[in-house]
Amino acid sequence: MTAIPYRLPQKRHLVTELPGPRSVALTERRRRAVAAGLGSATPVFAVDADGGIIVDADGNSLIDLGSGIAVTGVGASNPAVADAVAAQAHRFTHTCFMVTPYEGYVAVAEKLNELTPGDHEKRTVLFNSGAEAVENAVKVARLATGRNAVVAFDHAYHGRTNLTMALTAKSIPYKHDFGPFAPEVYRMPMSYPLRDPAGTDGVAAAYRAIGMIDTQLTADSVAAVIVEPIQGEGGFIVPAPGFLPTLAAWCGMHGVVFIADEVQSGFCRTGAWFASEDEGVVPDLITTAKGIAGGMPLSAVTGRADLMDAVHPGGLGGTYSGNPVACAAALATIEQMSTLDLNARARHIGEIAFASLSATTERLAATGQDVIGEIRGRGAMIAVELVKPGTTEPNPELAKAAAAHALSRGVVVLTCGTYGNVLRLLPPMVIDDDLLCEGLQILDEALTPA
Protein backbone atom coordinates (compact mmCIF):
# COMPACT_ATOMS: atom_id res chain seq x y z
CA MET A 1 0.00 0.00 0.00
CA THR A 2 1.25 3.47 -0.85
CA ALA A 3 2.20 5.37 2.32
CA ILE A 4 -0.54 7.61 3.68
CA PRO A 5 0.39 10.94 5.28
CA TYR A 6 -1.57 10.53 8.51
CA ARG A 7 -2.37 13.80 10.29
CA LEU A 8 -2.88 12.15 13.66
CA PRO A 9 -0.53 9.81 15.54
CA GLN A 10 -1.73 6.28 14.87
CA LYS A 11 -1.64 5.26 18.51
CA ARG A 12 -4.27 4.41 21.08
CA HIS A 13 -4.01 6.84 23.99
CA LEU A 14 -6.43 7.21 26.90
CA VAL A 15 -6.35 10.22 29.19
CA THR A 16 -9.72 9.70 30.93
CA GLU A 17 -12.11 6.89 31.64
CA LEU A 18 -14.61 6.37 28.83
CA PRO A 19 -16.81 8.26 28.51
CA GLY A 20 -14.87 11.26 29.76
CA PRO A 21 -16.43 14.35 31.35
CA ARG A 22 -16.86 16.31 28.11
CA SER A 23 -18.58 13.36 26.41
CA VAL A 24 -20.80 12.96 29.47
CA ALA A 25 -21.76 16.63 29.27
CA LEU A 26 -22.43 16.35 25.54
CA THR A 27 -24.57 13.28 26.18
CA GLU A 28 -26.73 15.36 28.51
CA ARG A 29 -27.05 18.10 25.87
CA ARG A 30 -27.96 15.43 23.35
CA ARG A 31 -30.61 14.00 25.68
CA ARG A 32 -32.33 17.39 25.83
CA ALA A 33 -32.05 18.14 22.10
CA VAL A 34 -32.07 14.90 20.09
CA ALA A 35 -34.94 12.44 19.74
CA ALA A 36 -34.58 9.41 22.01
CA GLY A 37 -35.28 7.06 19.11
CA LEU A 38 -31.84 7.77 17.63
CA GLY A 39 -29.35 5.45 19.27
CA SER A 40 -25.54 5.41 19.28
CA ALA A 41 -23.23 2.45 19.70
CA THR A 42 -20.85 4.34 22.02
CA PRO A 43 -21.19 7.20 24.53
CA VAL A 44 -18.12 9.09 23.29
CA PHE A 45 -18.25 12.17 21.06
CA ALA A 46 -15.77 12.46 18.19
CA VAL A 47 -13.87 15.65 17.44
CA ASP A 48 -11.27 14.32 14.98
CA ALA A 49 -10.50 11.15 13.04
CA ASP A 50 -7.74 9.99 10.72
CA GLY A 51 -6.53 6.62 9.49
CA GLY A 52 -7.49 4.09 12.15
CA ILE A 53 -7.89 6.61 14.99
CA ILE A 54 -10.87 8.51 16.41
CA VAL A 55 -10.17 11.33 18.88
CA ASP A 56 -12.97 12.06 21.33
CA ALA A 57 -14.01 15.29 23.04
CA ASP A 58 -11.84 14.48 26.06
CA GLY A 59 -8.67 13.94 24.03
CA ASN A 60 -8.75 10.14 24.04
CA SER A 61 -7.45 8.42 20.90
CA LEU A 62 -9.45 5.28 20.12
CA ILE A 63 -8.78 2.50 17.64
CA ASP A 64 -11.53 2.52 15.02
CA LEU A 65 -12.70 -0.96 14.02
CA GLY A 66 -16.05 0.29 12.72
CA SER A 67 -15.39 2.89 9.97
CA GLY A 68 -18.73 4.55 10.68
CA ILE A 69 -20.38 1.26 9.61
CA ALA A 70 -18.17 0.56 6.57
CA VAL A 71 -18.18 4.15 5.32
CA THR A 72 -14.69 5.56 5.86
CA GLY A 73 -12.69 2.81 4.18
CA VAL A 74 -10.16 5.35 2.84
CA GLY A 75 -10.00 7.08 6.23
CA ALA A 76 -12.27 9.66 7.82
CA SER A 77 -10.16 12.61 6.64
CA ASN A 78 -8.35 11.28 3.60
CA PRO A 79 -6.44 14.29 2.20
CA ALA A 80 -7.40 13.65 -1.43
CA VAL A 81 -11.08 13.35 -0.52
CA ALA A 82 -10.98 16.42 1.74
CA ASP A 83 -9.30 18.48 -0.99
CA ALA A 84 -11.87 17.38 -3.58
CA VAL A 85 -14.74 18.28 -1.25
CA ALA A 86 -13.26 21.71 -0.49
CA ALA A 87 -12.57 22.49 -4.14
CA GLN A 88 -16.10 21.59 -5.22
CA ALA A 89 -17.66 23.48 -2.31
CA HIS A 90 -15.76 26.59 -3.38
CA ARG A 91 -17.30 26.30 -6.87
CA PHE A 92 -20.88 25.38 -5.98
CA THR A 93 -22.60 23.13 -3.46
CA HIS A 94 -25.86 22.54 -5.32
CA THR A 95 -27.79 23.24 -8.47
CA CYS A 96 -29.92 20.04 -8.54
CA PHE A 97 -29.01 17.67 -11.35
CA MET A 98 -32.65 17.68 -12.46
CA VAL A 99 -32.42 21.45 -13.03
CA THR A 100 -28.87 22.27 -14.12
CA PRO A 101 -26.80 19.11 -14.51
CA TYR A 102 -23.04 18.95 -13.93
CA GLU A 103 -20.19 16.75 -15.07
CA GLY A 104 -19.38 15.21 -11.67
CA TYR A 105 -22.64 13.25 -11.63
CA VAL A 106 -21.95 11.88 -15.11
CA ALA A 107 -18.38 10.98 -14.16
CA VAL A 108 -19.53 9.02 -11.10
CA ALA A 109 -22.11 7.17 -13.22
CA GLU A 110 -19.43 6.32 -15.79
CA LYS A 111 -17.12 5.02 -13.07
CA LEU A 112 -19.82 2.84 -11.51
CA ASN A 113 -20.82 1.46 -14.90
CA GLU A 114 -17.18 0.50 -15.38
CA LEU A 115 -16.49 -0.99 -11.93
CA THR A 116 -19.63 -2.99 -11.21
CA PRO A 117 -19.74 -6.65 -12.30
CA GLY A 118 -20.48 -7.49 -15.92
CA ASP A 119 -19.41 -6.05 -19.26
CA HIS A 120 -22.95 -5.38 -20.52
CA GLU A 121 -24.26 -1.89 -21.21
CA LYS A 122 -25.24 -0.19 -17.96
CA ARG A 123 -26.85 2.93 -16.60
CA THR A 124 -26.59 4.53 -13.15
CA VAL A 125 -28.77 6.88 -11.11
CA LEU A 126 -27.57 8.51 -7.90
CA PHE A 127 -29.35 9.03 -4.57
CA ASN A 128 -28.45 9.96 -0.98
CA SER A 129 -28.70 6.81 1.14
CA GLY A 130 -28.62 3.05 0.86
CA ALA A 131 -32.34 2.82 1.63
CA GLU A 132 -33.12 5.22 -1.21
CA ALA A 133 -31.03 3.12 -3.57
CA VAL A 134 -32.80 -0.08 -2.57
CA GLU A 135 -36.24 1.49 -2.84
CA ASN A 136 -35.48 2.82 -6.32
CA ALA A 137 -34.02 -0.50 -7.47
CA VAL A 138 -37.33 -2.12 -6.55
CA LYS A 139 -39.20 0.62 -8.41
CA VAL A 140 -37.12 -0.05 -11.52
CA ALA A 141 -37.65 -3.80 -11.28
CA ARG A 142 -41.41 -3.50 -10.84
CA LEU A 143 -41.83 -1.08 -13.71
CA ALA A 144 -39.54 -2.98 -16.08
CA THR A 145 -41.16 -6.37 -15.43
CA GLY A 146 -44.75 -5.32 -14.86
CA ARG A 147 -44.79 -7.55 -11.78
CA ASN A 148 -45.27 -6.70 -8.10
CA ALA A 149 -43.82 -9.35 -5.78
CA VAL A 150 -40.36 -8.88 -4.28
CA VAL A 151 -38.45 -11.67 -2.56
CA ALA A 152 -36.11 -10.87 0.35
CA PHE A 153 -34.38 -13.16 2.84
CA ASP A 154 -34.18 -14.05 6.49
CA HIS A 155 -31.65 -11.93 8.42
CA ALA A 156 -31.73 -9.24 5.70
CA TYR A 157 -31.31 -5.54 6.34
CA HIS A 158 -32.16 -3.08 3.57
CA GLY A 159 -33.06 0.18 5.30
CA ARG A 160 -35.52 2.17 7.42
CA THR A 161 -38.03 3.59 4.91
CA ASN A 162 -41.44 1.93 4.75
CA LEU A 163 -40.58 -0.33 1.81
CA THR A 164 -37.07 -1.13 3.03
CA MET A 165 -38.40 -1.92 6.51
CA ALA A 166 -40.69 -4.42 4.83
CA LEU A 167 -37.64 -5.95 3.14
CA THR A 168 -35.68 -5.97 6.43
CA ALA A 169 -36.11 -9.10 8.54
CA LYS A 170 -35.44 -8.05 12.14
CA SER A 171 -38.26 -6.34 14.01
CA ILE A 172 -36.52 -4.77 17.01
CA PRO A 173 -35.24 -2.10 16.68
CA TYR A 174 -35.84 -1.54 12.98
CA LYS A 175 -39.56 -2.29 12.46
CA HIS A 176 -41.25 -2.56 15.83
CA ASP A 177 -44.59 -0.69 15.90
CA PHE A 178 -43.86 1.17 12.63
CA GLY A 179 -46.28 -0.82 10.45
CA PRO A 180 -48.20 -1.47 8.37
CA PHE A 181 -45.48 -1.97 5.80
CA ALA A 182 -45.40 -1.95 2.03
CA PRO A 183 -47.12 -5.03 0.60
CA GLU A 184 -45.99 -7.73 -1.83
CA VAL A 185 -42.76 -8.53 0.01
CA TYR A 186 -42.08 -12.22 0.62
CA ARG A 187 -39.33 -13.62 2.86
CA MET A 188 -37.38 -16.75 2.09
CA PRO A 189 -34.73 -18.70 4.05
CA MET A 190 -31.13 -17.55 3.68
CA SER A 191 -28.10 -19.78 3.42
CA TYR A 192 -26.62 -19.62 6.95
CA PRO A 193 -23.94 -22.31 7.13
CA LEU A 194 -23.55 -22.20 10.93
CA ARG A 195 -27.28 -22.75 11.49
CA ASP A 196 -28.48 -24.65 8.43
CA PRO A 197 -29.28 -28.36 8.77
CA ALA A 198 -26.24 -30.59 8.29
CA GLY A 199 -25.51 -31.31 4.65
CA THR A 200 -27.18 -28.13 3.34
CA ASP A 201 -24.74 -26.70 0.82
CA GLY A 202 -25.26 -23.47 -1.07
CA VAL A 203 -27.05 -25.03 -4.00
CA ALA A 204 -29.40 -26.94 -1.73
CA ALA A 205 -30.11 -23.77 0.28
CA ALA A 206 -30.89 -21.90 -2.94
CA TYR A 207 -33.30 -24.59 -4.10
CA ARG A 208 -34.96 -24.55 -0.68
CA ALA A 209 -35.76 -20.88 -1.25
CA ILE A 210 -36.68 -21.39 -4.90
CA GLY A 211 -39.06 -24.19 -3.95
CA MET A 212 -40.84 -21.91 -1.54
CA ILE A 213 -41.07 -19.17 -4.17
CA ASP A 214 -42.58 -21.60 -6.67
CA THR A 215 -45.04 -22.87 -4.06
CA GLN A 216 -46.11 -19.56 -2.57
CA LEU A 217 -45.84 -17.17 -5.52
CA THR A 218 -44.93 -18.66 -8.90
CA ALA A 219 -42.02 -17.13 -10.79
CA ASP A 220 -44.11 -15.06 -13.20
CA SER A 221 -45.40 -12.89 -10.31
CA VAL A 222 -41.94 -11.99 -8.99
CA ALA A 223 -40.44 -8.68 -10.06
CA ALA A 224 -37.18 -9.03 -8.14
CA VAL A 225 -35.09 -11.08 -5.76
CA ILE A 226 -32.96 -8.85 -3.53
CA VAL A 227 -30.08 -10.23 -1.49
CA GLU A 228 -26.95 -8.99 0.24
CA PRO A 229 -24.01 -11.06 -1.09
CA ILE A 230 -22.71 -10.90 2.48
CA GLN A 231 -25.44 -9.89 4.87
CA GLY A 232 -24.70 -6.82 6.99
CA GLU A 233 -26.81 -6.04 10.05
CA GLY A 234 -28.09 -9.63 10.06
CA GLY A 235 -24.68 -10.86 11.19
CA PHE A 236 -22.20 -10.74 8.29
CA ILE A 237 -23.64 -14.04 7.12
CA VAL A 238 -21.67 -15.41 4.18
CA PRO A 239 -23.89 -17.74 2.13
CA ALA A 240 -22.43 -21.10 1.26
CA PRO A 241 -20.77 -21.35 -2.18
CA GLY A 242 -23.33 -21.90 -4.91
CA PHE A 243 -26.20 -20.10 -3.20
CA LEU A 244 -25.91 -16.78 -5.05
CA PRO A 245 -25.09 -18.22 -8.51
CA THR A 246 -28.02 -20.63 -8.27
CA LEU A 247 -30.42 -17.85 -7.31
CA ALA A 248 -29.10 -15.59 -10.05
CA ALA A 249 -29.45 -18.34 -12.66
CA TRP A 250 -33.06 -19.01 -11.61
CA CYS A 251 -33.83 -15.29 -11.87
CA GLY A 252 -32.34 -15.20 -15.37
CA MET A 253 -34.43 -18.17 -16.49
CA HIS A 254 -37.67 -16.59 -15.30
CA GLY A 255 -37.22 -12.90 -16.14
CA VAL A 256 -36.85 -11.96 -12.46
CA VAL A 257 -34.56 -9.02 -11.70
CA PHE A 258 -31.65 -10.09 -9.49
CA ILE A 259 -30.72 -7.19 -7.18
CA ALA A 260 -27.47 -7.33 -5.22
CA ASP A 261 -27.54 -5.01 -2.21
CA GLU A 262 -23.85 -4.11 -1.85
CA VAL A 263 -24.43 -1.08 0.36
CA GLN A 264 -22.22 -2.51 3.13
CA SER A 265 -20.12 -5.04 1.20
CA GLY A 266 -19.09 -2.83 -1.73
CA PHE A 267 -16.04 -0.72 -2.57
CA CYS A 268 -13.09 -2.95 -1.66
CA ARG A 269 -14.54 -3.95 1.70
CA THR A 270 -14.36 -7.69 0.95
CA GLY A 271 -11.10 -7.59 -0.99
CA ALA A 272 -12.81 -7.00 -4.34
CA TRP A 273 -14.67 -4.00 -5.65
CA PHE A 274 -17.91 -5.87 -4.94
CA ALA A 275 -18.67 -9.03 -2.98
CA SER A 276 -20.69 -10.42 -5.92
CA GLU A 277 -17.41 -10.93 -7.76
CA ASP A 278 -16.31 -13.75 -5.45
CA GLU A 279 -18.42 -16.31 -7.35
CA GLY A 280 -18.66 -14.41 -10.62
CA VAL A 281 -22.26 -13.32 -10.02
CA VAL A 282 -23.41 -10.52 -12.32
CA PRO A 283 -26.45 -8.76 -10.82
CA ASP A 284 -29.11 -7.18 -13.02
CA LEU A 285 -29.14 -4.24 -10.59
CA ILE A 286 -26.66 -3.39 -7.84
CA THR A 287 -27.21 -0.91 -5.01
CA THR A 288 -24.29 0.92 -3.43
CA ALA A 289 -23.73 3.55 -0.73
CA LYS A 290 -21.64 3.71 2.49
CA GLY A 291 -18.03 3.42 1.25
CA ILE A 292 -18.78 5.13 -2.07
CA ALA A 293 -17.85 8.70 -1.09
CA GLY A 294 -15.53 8.67 1.91
CA GLY A 295 -18.21 9.83 4.34
CA MET A 296 -20.29 12.13 2.15
CA PRO A 297 -23.93 11.08 1.61
CA LEU A 298 -24.25 9.33 -1.75
CA SER A 299 -25.76 6.14 -3.09
CA ALA A 300 -26.47 4.60 -6.46
CA VAL A 301 -28.39 2.06 -8.45
CA THR A 302 -26.40 0.65 -11.36
CA GLY A 303 -27.70 -1.95 -13.75
CA ARG A 304 -28.66 -3.25 -17.13
CA ALA A 305 -29.40 -0.42 -19.52
CA ASP A 306 -32.67 -1.98 -20.71
CA LEU A 307 -34.00 -2.08 -17.14
CA MET A 308 -32.79 1.34 -16.07
CA ASP A 309 -33.96 3.03 -19.27
CA ALA A 310 -37.42 1.47 -18.98
CA VAL A 311 -38.39 4.13 -16.43
CA HIS A 312 -40.14 7.19 -17.87
CA PRO A 313 -38.40 10.59 -17.62
CA GLY A 314 -38.99 12.10 -14.20
CA GLY A 315 -39.67 8.72 -12.61
CA LEU A 316 -36.32 8.72 -10.80
CA GLY A 317 -34.47 11.48 -8.97
CA GLY A 318 -34.55 13.75 -5.94
CA THR A 319 -33.55 17.27 -5.00
CA TYR A 320 -30.23 16.33 -3.41
CA SER A 321 -29.60 13.09 -5.28
CA GLY A 322 -26.05 13.06 -6.66
CA ASN A 323 -25.07 16.27 -4.86
CA PRO A 324 -22.01 17.80 -6.57
CA VAL A 325 -19.89 17.83 -3.40
CA ALA A 326 -20.70 14.18 -2.75
CA CYS A 327 -19.88 13.34 -6.37
CA ALA A 328 -16.49 15.04 -6.04
CA ALA A 329 -15.86 13.02 -2.88
CA ALA A 330 -16.85 9.79 -4.64
CA LEU A 331 -14.49 10.35 -7.56
CA ALA A 332 -11.61 11.08 -5.17
CA THR A 333 -12.52 8.11 -2.96
CA ILE A 334 -12.59 5.67 -5.87
CA GLU A 335 -9.29 7.05 -7.12
CA GLN A 336 -7.77 6.54 -3.68
CA MET A 337 -9.06 2.98 -3.57
CA SER A 338 -7.25 2.29 -6.84
CA THR A 339 -4.08 4.20 -6.00
CA LEU A 340 -3.74 2.60 -2.56
CA ASP A 341 -4.88 -0.82 -3.87
CA LEU A 342 -7.38 -1.17 -1.06
CA ASN A 343 -8.63 -4.48 -2.45
CA ALA A 344 -5.24 -5.99 -1.64
CA ARG A 345 -5.14 -4.10 1.64
CA ALA A 346 -8.57 -5.48 2.64
CA ARG A 347 -7.39 -9.02 1.92
CA HIS A 348 -4.29 -8.39 4.05
CA ILE A 349 -6.45 -7.11 6.91
CA GLY A 350 -8.57 -10.25 6.63
CA GLU A 351 -5.50 -12.49 6.87
CA ILE A 352 -4.30 -10.71 10.02
CA ALA A 353 -7.73 -10.72 11.64
CA PHE A 354 -8.55 -14.34 10.86
CA ALA A 355 -5.18 -15.50 12.20
CA SER A 356 -5.63 -13.52 15.42
CA LEU A 357 -9.25 -14.55 15.96
CA SER A 358 -8.46 -18.20 15.20
CA ALA A 359 -5.76 -18.13 17.89
CA THR A 360 -8.28 -16.62 20.31
CA THR A 361 -10.78 -19.36 19.44
CA GLU A 362 -8.27 -22.13 20.06
CA ARG A 363 -7.08 -20.62 23.33
CA LEU A 364 -10.59 -20.19 24.68
CA ALA A 365 -11.66 -23.68 23.58
CA ALA A 366 -8.64 -25.19 25.33
CA THR A 367 -9.92 -23.80 28.63
CA GLY A 368 -13.50 -24.93 28.07
CA GLN A 369 -14.65 -21.47 26.98
CA ASP A 370 -15.55 -22.39 23.41
CA VAL A 371 -17.72 -19.30 22.98
CA ILE A 372 -16.77 -18.47 19.39
CA GLY A 373 -19.22 -20.33 17.20
CA GLU A 374 -17.81 -19.06 13.93
CA ILE A 375 -15.37 -16.56 12.47
CA ARG A 376 -16.58 -15.53 9.05
CA GLY A 377 -16.47 -12.83 6.45
CA ARG A 378 -14.14 -11.77 3.69
CA GLY A 379 -11.42 -9.15 3.50
CA ALA A 380 -12.02 -6.32 5.96
CA MET A 381 -15.62 -7.40 6.66
CA ILE A 382 -15.25 -9.90 9.49
CA ALA A 383 -17.64 -11.31 12.09
CA VAL A 384 -17.26 -13.28 15.29
CA GLU A 385 -20.47 -15.10 16.21
CA LEU A 386 -20.60 -15.75 19.94
CA VAL A 387 -22.42 -18.71 21.48
CA LYS A 388 -22.98 -20.26 24.87
CA PRO A 389 -20.05 -22.61 25.66
CA GLY A 390 -20.35 -25.97 23.95
CA THR A 391 -23.50 -25.05 22.01
CA THR A 392 -24.68 -23.01 19.04
CA GLU A 393 -27.08 -21.05 21.26
CA PRO A 394 -26.63 -17.31 20.63
CA ASN A 395 -24.78 -15.38 23.34
CA PRO A 396 -25.82 -11.73 23.00
CA GLU A 397 -24.79 -10.97 26.59
CA LEU A 398 -21.17 -11.80 25.81
CA ALA A 399 -21.23 -9.74 22.61
CA LYS A 400 -22.52 -6.71 24.50
CA ALA A 401 -20.02 -7.18 27.32
CA ALA A 402 -17.09 -7.70 24.95
CA ALA A 403 -17.91 -4.57 22.96
CA ALA A 404 -18.23 -2.58 26.19
CA HIS A 405 -14.91 -3.89 27.51
CA ALA A 406 -13.18 -3.10 24.22
CA LEU A 407 -14.51 0.45 24.35
CA SER A 408 -13.32 0.88 27.93
CA ARG A 409 -9.84 0.04 26.63
CA GLY A 410 -10.14 2.44 23.70
CA VAL A 411 -11.30 0.20 20.85
CA VAL A 412 -14.54 0.80 18.91
CA VAL A 413 -16.14 -2.54 17.98
CA LEU A 414 -19.68 -2.88 16.62
CA THR A 415 -22.22 -5.61 17.27
CA CYS A 416 -24.88 -6.96 14.91
CA GLY A 417 -26.87 -10.08 14.09
CA THR A 418 -30.45 -11.21 14.25
CA TYR A 419 -29.75 -12.55 17.74
CA GLY A 420 -27.48 -9.66 18.79
CA ASN A 421 -24.59 -12.08 19.31
CA VAL A 422 -22.13 -11.03 16.61
CA LEU A 423 -19.09 -8.78 16.89
CA ARG A 424 -18.31 -7.20 13.54
CA LEU A 425 -15.02 -5.73 12.43
CA LEU A 426 -15.03 -3.06 9.74
CA PRO A 427 -11.70 -1.28 10.15
CA PRO A 428 -10.72 1.50 7.79
CA MET A 429 -8.73 -0.20 5.06
CA VAL A 430 -5.97 2.36 5.63
CA ILE A 431 -5.43 1.25 9.24
CA ASP A 432 -1.83 0.29 9.88
CA ASP A 433 -0.89 -3.23 10.94
CA ASP A 434 0.33 -2.33 14.42
CA LEU A 435 -2.90 -0.53 15.28
CA LEU A 436 -5.03 -3.36 13.88
CA CYS A 437 -3.08 -5.97 15.85
CA GLU A 438 -3.40 -3.94 19.04
CA GLY A 439 -7.16 -3.70 18.54
CA LEU A 440 -7.39 -7.45 17.98
CA GLN A 441 -5.34 -8.11 21.11
CA ILE A 442 -7.77 -6.02 23.16
CA LEU A 443 -10.66 -7.90 21.57
CA ASP A 444 -8.97 -11.14 22.66
CA GLU A 445 -8.78 -9.69 26.17
CA ALA A 446 -12.47 -8.70 26.00
CA LEU A 447 -13.48 -12.29 25.22
CA THR A 448 -11.34 -13.81 27.97
CA PRO A 449 -13.21 -14.62 31.21
CA ALA A 450 -12.12 -12.50 34.16
Side-chain angles (χ1 to χ4, degrees):
M1 184 178 77
T2 303
I4 295 174
Y6 299 118
R7 286 187 304 105
L8 299 177
Q10 297 298 291
K11 292 185 179 298
R12 178 178 64 98
H13 181 62
L14 300 184
V15 296
T16 72
E17 292 185 354
L18 296 173
R22 290 197 64 196
S23 281
V24 170
L26 286 166
T27 297
E28 178 58 23
R29 284 176 58 190
R30 169 196 170 131
R31 185 189 65 79
R32 296 194 303 267
V34 179
L38 178 64
S40 294
T42 71
V44 296
F45 278 70
V47 298
D48 204 350
D50 178 42
I53 287 291
I54 297 172
V55 179
D56 77 358
D58 292 282
N60 298 295
S61 293
L62 290 72
I63 299 175
D64 180 12
L65 298 184
S67 296
I69 317 182
V71 170
T72 56
V74 299
S77 56
N78 182 288
V81 177
D83 288 347
V85 166
Q88 178 57 53
H90 277 295
R91 289 191 294 272
F92 60 93
T93 60
H94 178 73
T95 66
C96 185
F97 192 77
M98 297 183 300
V99 177
T100 308
Y102 35 87
E103 184 179 359
Y105 188 119
V106 177
V108 172
E110 289 171 336
K111 186 59 70 173
L112 293 176
N113 294 344
E114 171 194 337
L115 291 174
T116 49
D119 57 6
H120 52 283
E121 188 176 3
K122 301 172 195 168
R123 301 286 187 270
T124 288
V125 63
L126 303 180
F127 301 99
N128 302 292
S129 69
E132 280 186 80
V134 168
E135 188 135 347
N136 279 278
V138 171
K139 285 167 56 178
V140 169
R142 283 175 165 165
L143 187 149
T145 62
R147 306 171 183 177
N148 294 321
V150 179
V151 169
F153 288 88
D154 289 338
H155 313 291
Y157 178 86
H158 296 290
R160 296 175 187 260
T161 63
N162 188 266
L163 173 58
T164 57
M165 279 193 296
L167 296 169
T168 292
K170 189 175 181 178
S171 177
I172 297 175
Y174 308 118
K175 303 167 64 169
H176 183 63
D177 283 349
F178 288 138
F181 302 113
E184 292 301 307
V185 171
Y186 299 86
R187 194 164 315 284
M188 300 300 159
M190 182 65 178
S191 171
Y192 194 160
L194 178 66
R195 301 189 177 279
D196 278 344
T200 306
D201 62 13
V203 174
Y207 277 112
R208 176 181 61 191
I210 289 167
M212 292 177 64
I213 295 170
D214 286 336
T215 300
Q216 297 180 22
L217 298 173
T218 72
D220 60 4
S221 68
V222 179
V225 168
I226 183 167
V227 63
E228 300 156 274
I230 297 178
Q231 290 187 314
E233 305 303 308
F236 283 22
I237 299 166
V238 182
F243 180 77
L244 295 174
T246 302
L247 276 180
W250 179 86
C251 287
M253 289 172 55
H254 295 283
V256 175
V257 177
F258 184 81
I259 304 172
D261 180 344
E262 296 249 20
V263 166
Q264 192 158 164
S265 59
F267 295 102
C268 305
R269 178 53 59 180
T270 64
W273 281 103
F274 300 98
S276 302
E277 297 176 57
D278 186 67
E279 292 188 83
V281 173
V282 178
D284 297 310
L285 301 177
I286 183 167
T287 62
T288 53
K290 290 192 182 291
I292 191 173
M296 297 298 291
L298 190 71
S299 66
V301 181
T302 302
R304 284 170 31 199
D306 60 310
L307 296 174
M308 298 294 287
D309 285 346
V311 180
H312 50 276
L316 301 172
T319 301
Y320 295 105
S321 298
N323 170 270
V325 178
C327 286
L331 293 170
T333 296
I334 292 169
E335 175 61 29
Q336 284 289 285
M337 288 174 175
S338 296
T339 300
L340 301 174
D341 194 2
L342 293 191
N343 281 320
R345 180 64 189 162
R347 294 191 293 270
H348 178 68
I349 287 170
E351 291 168 1
I352 292 173
F354 270 89
S356 175
L357 293 167
S358 295
T360 298
T361 302
E362 293 174 8
R363 185 179 59 75
L364 290 173
T367 62
Q369 296 296 318
D370 46 345
V371 294
I372 296 181
E374 186 176 44
I375 305 163
R376 58 176 177 259
R378 198 179 301 143
M381 185 176 184
I382 304 152
V384 183
E385 178 155 359
L386 300 175
V387 295
K388 301 291 177 65
T391 74
T392 59
E393 182 183 348
N395 195 341
E397 298 84 7
L398 179 57
K400 182 178 180 180
H405 178 87
L407 179 65
S408 75
R409 299 276 284 119
V411 179
V412 176
V413 177
L414 305 177
T415 61
C416 66
T418 297
Y419 312 106
N421 66 321
V422 177
L423 297 173
R424 55 174 162 172
L425 307 182
L426 291 163
M429 290 170 284
V430 295
I431 192 171
D432 69 32
D433 286 2
D434 289 345
L435 204 60
L436 174 63
C437 289
E438 183 179 5
L440 290 166
Q441 180 57 44
I442 290 172
L443 186 58
D444 174 278
E445 173 190 296
L447 291 170
T448 301

